[in-house]
Amino acid sequence: MASGIDSGSDPASPDPFSRLKITRDAGFEAVQQAREQALVQAGEDLQERAKVEAAYDAVLMERLRERQSGRVSSAAASASQREQQLETVSSSEPRGPGLLLSRIRQLSLPTPAAAPQTWLPTLSLVEGQGLWVRLGLAGAGLVLVLLSPTSVELVLALGTIGMFLSQIRRGRRPLASVGWSVLFLTLGVLAGGLVAALLAGSATSLPLSVDQWQSLPALLVLALGALLLG
């Protein structure tokens, strides 16, 4: 006999202490250990496992009756107190999905390091298929401006949107992308206005309208921004 476990008890006996192979003054740890060992020995036999659980419940009830009648040993008192503490903790824990949620909330998840964000752009040429797509769209916009003077405003608007989407795809934040797109459009329009003003004073007849000359630098600046700004 050691730690409240009775190696000579008969597991076939209806006595719960004998079935669990423990003595009547076994402590809480010994009762728990005996129950686990008995369940392991029972294996997949549902009837035998039910008998083990019934014996365990009977031992706990016996401890409760002894405690109520004042006939309780120090080991049994310790077992009863720990049993009550275990039942209190078990009843306070949520069951089912609530238990899973409470466990998830208790996890200490690492806080991801905030990626450094800057408003200053980085210049790098787009590679691969993205390069050809941007060049193709810029070329289509240029042809449309040259062939249709009435489409100048539409092409510039689409070019600004294209530069914005290009920055988004390259990882820049939306607000910063909008700011740089509008800035490049403004610089391009100012450069186009300067070109148009210089050509307007020329005596030679211009093959393009003033709006077309003014939109060409703006379209070029937007195309460069889409190709280089990241």
Side-chain angles (χ1 to χ4, degrees), residues 96-111:
L99 177 59
L100 178 61
L101 292 176
S102 63
R103 295 288 174 84
I104 293 176
R105 294 191 189 99
Q106 293 174 359
L107 292 177
S108 179
L109 298 179
T111 302

Side-chain angles (χ1 to χ4, degrees), residues 118-154:
T118 175
W119 283 81
L120 297 178
T122 56
L123 299 180
S124 61
L125 183 63
V126 181
E127 299 179 354
Q129 183 180 3
L131 174 62
W132 297 110
V133 170
R134 289 167 172 81
L135 288 176
L137 293 176
L142 178 61
V143 171
L144 189 59
V145 167
L146 294 176
L147 297 180
S148 176
T150 59
S151 63
V152 169
E153 294 183 358
L154 175 62

Side-chain angles (χ1 to χ4, degrees), residues 74-110:
S74 59
S78 175
S80 179
Q81 291 177 357
R82 294 183 182 180
E83 174 199 346
Q84 290 181 349
Q85 294 175 357
L86 181 62
E87 290 178 352
T88 301
V89 173
S90 177
S91 61
S92 63
E93 291 184 351
R95 299 294 180 180
L99 177 59
L100 178 61
L101 292 176
S102 63
R103 295 288 174 84
I104 293 176
R105 294 191 189 99
Q106 293 174 359
L107 292 177
S108 179
L109 298 179

Side-chain angles (χ1 to χ4, degrees), residues 19-33:
R19 182 175 296 279
L20 295 178
K21 299 181 181 181
I22 58 176
T23 60
R24 291 188 174 273
D25 61 348
F28 182 76
E29 291 84 357
V31 175
Q32 293 289 334
Q33 182 181 359

Side-chain angles (χ1 to χ4, degrees), residues 26-226:
F28 182 76
E29 291 84 357
V31 175
Q32 293 289 334
Q33 182 181 359
R35 172 176 173 270
E36 293 175 0
Q37 292 178 353
L39 290 175
V40 171
Q41 294 175 359
E44 300 297 330
D45 189 343
L46 299 180
Q47 184 177 3
E48 189 63 26
R49 293 177 69 89
K51 291 180 180 180
V52 172
E53 295 291 356
Y56 175 73
D57 293 340
V59 171
L60 296 184
M61 291 300 297
E62 180 68 20
R63 288 285 188 265
L64 180 59
R65 286 194 294 268
E66 290 178 354
R67 185 166 178 265
Q68 291 176 346
S69 63
R71 298 181 296 102
V72 56
S73 63
S74 59
S78 175
S80 179
Q81 291 177 357
R82 294 183 182 180
E83 174 199 346
Q84 290 181 349
Q85 294 175 357
L86 181 62
E87 290 178 352
T88 301
V89 173
S90 177
S91 61
S92 63
E93 291 184 351
R95 299 294 180 180
L99 177 59
L100 178 61
L101 292 176
S102 63
R103 295 288 174 84
I104 293 176
R105 294 191 189 99
Q106 293 174 359
L107 292 177
S108 179
L109 298 179
T111 302
Q117 295 292 336
T118 175
W119 283 81
L120 297 178
T122 56
L123 299 180
S124 61
L125 183 63
V126 181
E127 299 179 354
Q129 183 180 3
L131 174 62
W132 297 110
V133 170
R134 289 167 172 81
L135 288 176
L137 293 176
L142 178 61
V143 171
L144 189 59
V145 167
L146 294 176
L147 297 180
S148 176
T150 59
S151 63
V152 169
E153 294 183 358
L154 175 62
V155 172
L156 291 181
L158 293 177
T160 306
I161 296 175
M163 180 179 172
F164 167 78
L165 295 177
S166 175
Q167 294 178 83
I168 292 296
R169 290 184 61 85
R170 302 188 73 179
R172 182 167 292 276
R173 288 186 174 181
L175 185 59
S177 301
V178 170
W180 283 106
S181 300
V182 173
L183 177 61
F184 271 54
L185 175 63
T186 303
L187 294 176
V189 170
L190 291 177
L194 180 61
V195 171
L198 294 176
L199 294 177
S202 176
T204 60
S205 60
L206 299 176
L208 301 177
S209 67
V210 175
D211 291 340
Q212 287 175 302
W213 283 112
Q214 188 173 3
S215 64
L216 289 178
L219 183 61
L220 179 60
V221 170
L222 290 174
L224 289 176

